[in-house]
Amino acid sequence: MSILAEIYAKDVFAGRRDIEAVPAMFRDDARKALEELNIKAETQKQREIEAMEGVEANE
């Protein structure tokens, strides 16, 4: 995966660009990178929820 595809994926993830605005030659790789970013974000979100539940349980 190219660095440019990752940069485009981060732009899409941040809402600064639509996936269709990514140049065609990078679009497939950008979609894959975007999928990875979404998985990482969901994992992070779940960790934060679990951490907050742990803090609340300890109070």
Side-chain angles (χ1 to χ4, degrees), residues 30-41:
R31 280 190 178 109
K32 291 174 189 172
L34 181 60
E35 186 176 324
E36 290 174 13
L37 287 171
N38 285 323
I39 291 168
K40 287 178 184 178

Side-chain angles (χ1 to χ4, degrees), residues 4-15:
L4 283 174
E6 290 180 26
I7 292 169
Y8 286 128
K10 288 177 182 178
D11 278 352
V12 173
F13 184 78

Side-chain angles (χ1 to χ4, degrees), residues 20-34:
E20 297 305 319
V22 173
M25 65 186 290
F26 298 108
R27 203 171 293 145
D28 287 339
D29 283 344
R31 280 190 178 109
K32 291 174 189 172
L34 181 60

